[in-house]
Amino acid sequence: GACALAGAPWGAEVGSLCSSTSHRSSPQRWLVLCTAHMKERQIEELRGRPAREGFHLDLTHNLFKDQGVCALAVALAKGADVLLEDNDIGDVGASALAVSFRSPSFSSTTLNLERCRVGASVHVLVSALAANSRVTHVNLRSNELFDEGARALAALLASKSGAITSIDLSHNGISAKGAHALAAALRTNTVITSVELAGNDVDYHARRSIDDR
């Protein structure tokens, strides 16, 4: 089941919604609050409610900044899946997410940070992903990672740490240098099956070496 308030004005209290959906006897598995423009008080209400493994919280397109993501990282650490696409995460928010990745209760297998402006914080996220054995799918599209971010992720893949099997790095300003670093990492990584580089300035040889590995 799902409870959806996508784009809805906040006539209902977030606390009561989370209370009902987080109860173990509740059939609701999704709480959809995308484009809801949540306020700080409502974010705090979400943080204070219990979460459970298998519960999904869609908070895409809310334009959260550091403080909001810090609060929501708690939900991730409690075992909920939290969708965060298109939120202004920033350095502080990325650090909070990194802490949640290391929680024993963290259960999400997908990390979707598309358009979350985490380019400057990619090293923090990479370090956390190296210690995480649950996340298999990573979406970092449109984050201005550039070659530095590509090299950091290449080092992660080459180390064979973590559990990533697919990663989307589309539209990140990556050039042939970053792509060749990724290709070199993939030569020793037999776990990852998909690396998406659409919308980057990647030459034919680098793309071919990734596709044909």
Side-chain angles (χ1 to χ4, degrees), residues 45-66:
E45 286 178 349
L46 277 176
R47 180 168 70 166
R49 298 291 168 173
R52 67 179 186 277
E53 186 170 344
F55 178 68
H56 306 280
L57 185 59
D58 185 346
L59 296 166
T60 56
H61 314 298
N62 266 287
L63 303 180
F64 290 133
K65 293 188 181 294
D66 288 341

Side-chain angles (χ1 to χ4, degrees), residues 125-138 155-165 189 191-192:
L125 295 173
V126 164
S127 176
L129 285 170
N132 183 286
S133 61
R134 296 296 298 270
V135 175
T136 55
H137 305 288
V138 176
L156 169 63
L157 298 178
S159 72
K160 304 178 186 177
S161 300
I164 298 172
T165 59
N189 186 314
V191 175
I192 193 160

Side-chain angles (χ1 to χ4, degrees), residues 74-147:
V74 175
L76 275 166
K78 290 179 179 178
D81 283 336
V82 181
L83 309 185
L84 285 170
E85 178 185 336
D86 198 18
N87 284 292
D88 193 3
I89 286 177
D91 293 342
V92 176
S95 296
L97 288 175
V99 171
S100 74
F101 296 165
R102 293 184 169 91
S103 167
S105 300
F106 184 92
S107 62
S108 180
T109 59
T110 298
L111 178 64
N112 184 353
L113 296 178
E114 181 176 346
R115 293 192 307 277
C116 279
R117 292 162 283 281
V118 297
S121 309
V122 66
H123 291 281
V124 174
L125 295 173
V126 164
S127 176
L129 285 170
N132 183 286
S133 61
R134 296 296 298 270
V135 175
T136 55
H137 305 288
V138 176
N139 180 359
L140 291 172
R141 291 172 61 101
S142 304
N143 273 291
E144 298 184 344
L145 298 177
F146 304 116
D147 288 337

